[in-house]
Amino acid sequence: MFFKKSDVFFETFKAIAENLNRAAVEFRDEIHHPSPEKKGLTNIQDYEKNGDRHTHTIIKELNKTFVTPLEREDIMNLAVKMDDILDGIEATLIRMDIYDIKDMNIFIKRNAEIILEQCQEVQKSIDKLINKKYLDIRAHAVKINELENEADHLFNNSLRELVATCSDAIEFVKYKQIYEMLEEVTDACEDVANILESILMRNS
């Protein structure tokens, strides 16, 4: 299909959001039902490579396009921050593999669900952006922020539980780092929501 020059950015954002959502589904599934063969890790790495290619496309198009459909800074920041989510998912899964985390406790499982829900809202927001329904973006941005607030409470509770119950220093460090990495992913989702809201304000 042929797209106008300005549509290249929107089509790439759509591809980034779809790729991110598939990775989040894979991540959630791997956390809830770990595969002995580590197939999920391999697939996540493939999604991350796809994400890098899409981000490179955005950068390349920005470098050769004079008139862009959105502010250049917004386009760049949105692409980079969406890529940060995917990088965080991959990094967390790799670290869990290195640490041989076997107890996928309630905190880790719920975080994986929150990340997926946030990524689904990001994808819905991108659809609204592509269709220039800027005002409709706000509801999804608000939902992403609400989920991040839940993740904050979850992070605090997970640390309290860890301090209260874990007597093994090595295990303590392992789980603390995993909880922190999961929190960073949800924060990256919130960053995307904030960028989307700034785009809304500039275009509504």
Side-chain angles (χ1 to χ4, degrees), residues 68-92:
T68 56
L70 301 168
E71 294 287 336
R72 303 175 74 85
E73 182 181 359
D74 288 336
I75 292 173
M76 187 66 189
N77 287 342
L78 186 55
V80 169
K81 284 300 180 181
M82 288 172 72
D83 193 54
D84 283 349
I85 299 171
L86 190 47
D87 287 345
I89 289 173
E90 182 197 33
T92 302

Side-chain angles (χ1 to χ4, degrees), residues 5 21 23 26 52-53 58 60 65-66 84 86 90 95 98 102 106 113 120 130-131 140-141 146 164 175 196:
K5 192 67 174 177
N21 200 60
E26 190 90 31
D52 284 345
R53 283 194 288 269
I58 292 287
K60 182 178 68 175
T65 304
F66 182 70
D84 283 349
L86 190 47
E90 182 197 33
R95 188 66 58 87
I98 291 171
K102 296 189 185 309
I106 188 172
E113 292 169 356
Q120 289 171 337
I130 291 169
N131 291 300
H140 302 297
E146 289 174 350
Y175 277 89
L196 287 164

